[in-house]
Structures are given as structure tokens and as C-alpha cells.
Amino acid sequence: MQQVVYVANPLSGLIHVFALTEDELTPLQRVQTGGQVQPLVISPDRRWLYAGVRPDFRVLSYPIAADGRLGEPFSAPLEGSASHTCTDGSGRLFFAASYAFDHVSVSPVDEAGRVQAPHQRLDGLMAAHSVTWLAGKDGAQELLVACLKEDVIRRFALNDDARLAPHPQGDIHTAPGAGPRHLALHPDNGDLYCLNELDGTLNRYHREADGRISARQSLDLLPAGYRGERWGADIHLTPDGRFLYTSERASSLLTLFGVDESDAALTTLDHFPTESCPRGFAIDHGGRWLIATGQTSHCLALHLRDPLIFRDSNNSKCAGI
């Protein structure tokens, strides 16, 4: 089955659309956004691609055709430059974190699936780098905001009027100087993970039955004895939840962690080279491929993986962007 990969290029203003077939990426389309495009997110029903654009701060809602190509966008304003975006589980709300403007905005999504102008902005969130939607088994709904320069993951509860308010359980504090950047949620075991940009570490947390989120582990992204710069970037789990990958830009390494099926503990398994300065990466729906972007190599690498072994970059394929 064909899958589709979307890659944003802020310098060119292009969204590159690739078809991912059995063993290669094939260009399908290049879409000019007319601005510095960066965060991309797909709606839960997979009918829309939402793209944040600057310096004319806005979000573009692109309809996705059956073959993955993008149609003409609908444009709505944003309150500032978006560094990361997400939607709620129903796709009726769109959240945008602004690292440069220290805030998070909340926008409604209309019945057709198009993002509208924000109806709420939360200020004073220093270096708000990412937003992550979290739905509890008890029906509780909240938004997590990684505030890099505060060393805090802010927790906000969603009210009945589709507005955010500080969570009654309070925020999650990382180690001083860690710089929380991106979060990932395990599909089954109730754990969540935080990649820290500044100290190059990975934190594991667990959601308790009473709503508390407690720290369980902190591991290094880099090999033992590493003495260089630290610049953590991205984090993703395989669809089955058995493995977790991180990327680190200074070393241009991907790190593989195993997730224990009995107690959910993380174990560092290996480190692998990829494209230079891997700012972002993704894992396909089947868990067979890892696609990594090289910010300084201007290349997109397609790495083959199997359930136990991640094959190194000598077995990867690359497409220029």
C-alpha cells in the first residue's frame, strides 16, 4: 500500500510530497506556500494537512486528495510564528506553540476541516516549543506544552467551552538546563516521553490513575564518553510501541531505545548515523521505514528497519530537497 510523506522546507517555502512505495520515495508534488513553512500536522481523519507559515503568521489548511496530493489551501491568521502544532483527538481544535512569541493559541476547526482564527491565546510560556494532546481513560482532556527555556512542561485542562486553563495537578519540571523540546506518547502503557534539547537527555514519565504524571527514568541520547555539543531534536515511537527513536543534531545520530513489555522500562540499544543535522524524522505506519531530514545535507534519507535491527545509513536511500 502506498503511503505519502510530507516535508516542509522553510527556506524555499515548499512542501515536498513523496509517495513511499515498497523501497523508495517518489516525488509526487511540490507546493509553494508563499512563506517560511515549518510545522506540519495531519488531521485525525487524514483529510487535511495543516501548515504553519511565517512571517505573515497564518495556518494553511490543505485538502488531501486520494493519492496524497494537496489541493488549494484555506488560510487563517495565527497570533505569532508557530514552532509546533497539533489537534485534539476529534480534530475540532487546533493548537499552535510559538517559541518566538512565548505563547500557545487555540483555534476552532470548522465542519469542513479548515482551521479558523484563534479564539484563545495563553501568554507567558517561555520558549513554548511544542504542543501535545493528551486524552485520559477517564475522559479528561489536556494539552502539554514543552517550555524549553523554563525547564517546564506546562499542563492545561480543556474546559467545556473549548478553552484551556491551568491543570489542577500542576506542571512537570525537568532538570535545570534540560530544555524540554518534544514529547511522545506510548500507544498502550500510559507512559509519555520528553526529549530535552539542551542537555541531550530523554525523560520517561507515567500517567497515574489519579491524573498525576510522575517521573520514572532519564537517559542519555548520546554514546558513553561523548564530549561534544548537545542539541536534541526529535522523538518518535514505532507503531507497536516496542521501540523509541530520538535524533540529535550535533552528532547527526539516531538513538534506538527498547521499551520493556513487562514494566515499560527504557533500555538504550544502539546509535546510528543518519543525514547531517537531523532536525526531524518520522516512522511509517507499518513500522518498516524511518524517514530522516538533514537540515544541513539538504537530503531526505529513507532507512530500512526490522522489528529488532535498525540498519545503518549505508542501507538507506536519499532524496534531495
Side-chain angles (χ1 to χ4, degrees), residues 196-211:
N196 298 307
E197 175 179 327
L198 302 182
D199 71 358
T201 60
L202 170 67
N203 296 346
R204 177 171 77 94
Y205 301 91
H206 185 72
R207 289 172 281 169
E208 309 292 349
D210 62 1

Side-chain angles (χ1 to χ4, degrees), residues 120-226:
Q120 183 185 17
R121 189 180 79 192
L122 298 169
D123 294 313
L125 306 179
M126 295 300 296
H129 205 295
S130 67
V131 280
T132 303
W133 178 250
L134 182 61
K137 294 181 180 179
D138 58 356
Q141 302 179 91
E142 64 177 284
L143 187 75
L144 303 177
V145 185
C147 296
L148 189 144
K149 292 183 180 179
E150 291 186 78
D151 295 320
V152 172
I153 303 169
R154 300 284 183 197
R155 297 181 68 185
F156 294 96
L158 185 70
N159 296 333
D160 292 338
D161 60 356
R163 298 177 70 85
L164 297 173
H167 197 280
Q169 295 282 3
D171 300 322
I172 305 167
H173 294 263
T174 66
R181 176 182 172 92
H182 282 174
L183 306 178
L185 308 178
H186 194 277
D188 304 310
N189 67 20
D191 280 359
L192 61 100
Y193 313 91
C194 175
L195 178 140
N196 298 307
E197 175 179 327
L198 302 182
D199 71 358
T201 60
L202 170 67
N203 296 346
R204 177 171 77 94
Y205 301 91
H206 185 72
R207 289 172 281 169
E208 309 292 349
D210 62 1
R212 290 182 300 113
I213 297 178
S214 57
R216 294 295 175 90
Q217 278 182 284
S218 184
L219 296 90
D220 200 337
L221 302 182
L222 291 157
Y226 179 85

Side-chain angles (χ1 to χ4, degrees), residues 281-311:
F281 70 94
I283 298 171
D284 81 303
H285 299 310
R288 186 183 181 205
W289 298 101
L290 187 150
I291 306 102
T293 57
Q295 186 172 354
T296 57
S297 69
H298 308 293
C299 203
L300 181 67
L302 179 63
H303 294 275
L304 177 65
R305 64 173 303 276
D306 64 34
L308 295 178
I309 301 172
F310 184 102
R311 300 181 185 176

